[in-house]
């Protein structure tokens, strides 16, 4: 995170030492590899609050893009919420919504923050920090993956005419739990004309296009519908959902579903 009998005996001892040393080094390497593997069945839900009108945000957007690429085979779920309160300062972010600003303010209440800001990242509903802090984000992901999950969520998404139907199944949710479902556009780009990023073309990943929170069915099983945005392409979207404690914001379980196979991870 370092005489012929005598000659034969000496050679034998040297050989034994070399073999033992080689064996010690080999087993040590194996031990280190095992130590690097995350323990438990945890996950990391990364919520980025960003805006195309904020000059500090592109570095955070680029960071989560790298994280997304590096962790495509792990239970790491990224959602980029484009807030709308920057829109009055020269550039209207086409991906922005007052709903996303409202969600960020919910976190300010849950986490006892005096104000909101961009770029901000919240991991698993409990840890927040400046969205461009790479080391902090990587540590939070590792901690989330190593923490055993207390709940379970599976999703199945189907593209119907004009909307998405999501079937869900939950286990281990408490009475204060709600289900958040987000329709996420995997990639997007904008040529910004004005504001702090005027003249730049900004690339984005995991853009939240629709979001809704609803009460869980008593059985833990149910369905929900999400409206489709203009230009919807099933191959370019996925649904991310998670079970969240409505009292403190802690996320208990998470999953995602694509539209090709319809299976959740």
């Amino acid at each position: 995170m370092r005489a012929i009998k005598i000659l034969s005996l000496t050679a034998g001892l040297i050989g034994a030492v070399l073999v033992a040393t080689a064996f010690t080094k080999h087993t040590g390497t194996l031990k280190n590899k095992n130590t690097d593997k995350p323990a438990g069945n945890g996950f990391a839900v990364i919520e980025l609050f960003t805006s195309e009108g904020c000059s500090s945000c592109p570095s955070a957007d680029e960071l989560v893009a790298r994280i997304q690429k590096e962790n495509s085979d792990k239970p790491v779920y990224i959602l980029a919420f484009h807030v709308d309160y920057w829109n009055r300062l020269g550039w209207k972010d086409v991906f922005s919504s007052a709903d996303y600003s409202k969600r960020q303010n919910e976190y300010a209440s849950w986490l006892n923050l005096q104000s909101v800001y961009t770029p901000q990242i919240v991991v698993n509903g409990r840890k927040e920090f400046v969205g461009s802090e790479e080391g902090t984000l990587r540590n939070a992901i590792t901690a989330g993956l190593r923490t055993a999950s207390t709940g379970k969520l599976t999703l199945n998404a189907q593209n119907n005419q004009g909307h998405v139907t999501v079937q869900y199944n939950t286990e281990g949710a408490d009475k204060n739990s709600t289900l958040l479902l987000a329709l996420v556009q995997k990639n997007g780009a904008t040529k910004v004309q004005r504001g702090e990023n005027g003249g730049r073309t900004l690339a984005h990943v995991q853009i939240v296009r629709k979001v809704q929170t609803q009460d869980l069915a008593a059985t833990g099983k149910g369905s929900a519908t999400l409206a489709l945005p203009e230009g919807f392409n099933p191959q370019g979207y996925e649904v991310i959902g998670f079970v969240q404690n409505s009292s403190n914001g802690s996320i208990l379980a998470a999953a995602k579903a694509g539209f090709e196979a319809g299976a959740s991870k």
Side-chain angles (χ1 to χ4, degrees), residues 132-150:
S132 55
E133 293 182 355
E134 182 170 354
T136 305
L137 176 56
R138 292 186 181 278
N139 289 338
I141 292 171
T142 299
L145 294 176
R146 288 179 174 173
T147 301
S149 176
T150 58

Side-chain angles (χ1 to χ4, degrees), residues 45-47 49 107 120-128:
V45 173
I46 300 164
E47 297 178 71
F49 295 94
Y107 274 121
Q120 181 186 34
I121 281 179
V122 181
V123 177
N124 287 355
R126 300 306 298 154
K127 182 176 180 62
E128 70 85 24

Side-chain angles (χ1 to χ4, degrees), residues 195-219:
E196 292 189 0
N197 290 312
R200 300 181 63 178
T201 297
L202 302 181
H204 310 295
V205 298
Q206 298 301 104
I207 310 159
V208 177
R209 300 302 305 275
K210 300 288 181 180
V211 64
Q212 69 182 46
T213 302
Q214 64 182 63
D215 294 333
L216 290 167
T219 61

Side-chain angles (χ1 to χ4, degrees), residues 34-50:
N34 290 334
T35 301
D36 290 340
K37 294 180 180 179
N41 62 337
F43 60 87
V45 173
I46 300 164
E47 297 178 71
L48 169 65
F49 295 94
T50 185

Side-chain angles (χ1 to χ4, degrees), residues 44 46-47 64-65 67-68 76-80 184 205-206 238 240:
I46 300 164
E47 297 178 71
V64 296
I67 295 296
Q68 173 72 7
V76 174
Y77 310 102
I78 297 174
L79 303 95
V184 176
V205 298
Q206 298 301 104
E238 65 185 6
I240 294 179

